[in-house]
Amino acid sequence: MKDPFVYALYLSFISHRPDFVYPFVEQSDDNGTYSEVIRSSEGHIALNLVRPGCYVGDCYHIKKVKDFIPIIGNALIRTRKYDQEDITDNRGNPEKPTIIRVLPGCAYRICNEGESSILVMSWCNELDVENDKDIYDEPVEKVEVVEEAEHYYY
């Protein structure tokens, strides 16, 4: 809302409404929970809860920039350009506030090496749109597949 008059109208309108309370959508699995809590035309803010000994991510984006801010616990955020092998380890914790920016074309993994869950806030420069899925699976740590040996039974 760049127009000051439109902004003033908006503020006047919402000042006469009751408080807004609404649920947000969570996506959960065994590793943790992803909750998109704020959406705007300029992107979104989400909370990533990662359980002890688990990690989330292992993907990259072509158009998205992501900022990660550890809120609770010690987070290890590993990054690697999708077409390279060098991995960068970035550590963050609430005692030393740090923003870890992941640029387009960089695979990332949020790791919890601790004994309790960690909470990492993330910001993304654009929204996830139904017909434009800008997410590509890419493990940060590439695992070399070794051909399975034959089994002999006696």
Side-chain angles (χ1 to χ4, degrees):
M1 288 186 234
K2 296 180 181 178
D3 183 332
F5 177 71
V6 172
Y7 185 61
L9 267 172
Y10 168 74
L11 292 176
S12 178
F13 171 73
I14 65 170
S15 70
H16 296 285
R17 299 210 31 144
D19 290 339
F20 287 89
V21 177
Y22 52 93
F24 50 85
V25 177
E26 289 185 338
Q27 299 173 14
S28 294
D29 62 18
D30 292 339
N31 297 323
T33 303
Y34 173 84
S35 306
E36 193 174 273
V37 294
I38 298 174
R39 292 175 64 91
S40 78
S41 59
E42 284 82 34
H44 68 269
I45 294 174
L47 297 174
N48 300 274
L49 180 107
V50 184
R51 293 186 176 89
C54 295
Y55 64 86
V56 296
D58 272 357
C59 61
Y60 73 95
H61 307 280
I62 297 294
K63 301 180 290 183
K64 291 179 172 62
V65 174
K66 290 206 165 195
D67 286 348
F68 295 105
I69 305 166
I71 303 295
I72 297 173
N74 297 315
L76 168 64
I77 300 176
R78 309 192 85 198
T79 59
R80 178 182 59 77
K81 285 193 169 269
Y82 79 96
D83 62 346
Q84 297 179 5
E85 293 184 17
D86 295 335
I87 296 173
T88 303
D89 287 345
N90 304 284
R91 295 190 182 275
N93 62 62
E95 289 78 36
K96 185 180 177 199
T98 305
I99 296 174
I100 300 162
R101 176 160 287 174
V102 178
L103 300 174
C106 237
Y108 62 89
R109 174 187 283 185
I110 303 171
C111 306
N112 182 353
E113 300 174 317
E115 296 179 11
S116 58
S117 293
I118 62 172
L119 185 65
V120 177
M121 183 174 71
S122 64
W123 167 84
C124 183
N125 66 315
E126 64 178 38
L127 297 173
D128 293 325
V129 180
E130 188 67 33
N131 298 332
D132 182 21
K133 295 291 184 185
D134 177 27
I135 186 166
Y136 304 91
D137 292 336
E138 179 71 20
V140 170
E141 297 175 15
K142 291 196 172 202
V143 178
E144 187 176 320
V145 177
V146 178
E147 196 171 310
E148 191 173 318
E150 287 187 57
H151 294 280
Y152 295 97
Y153 300 96
Y154 297 102

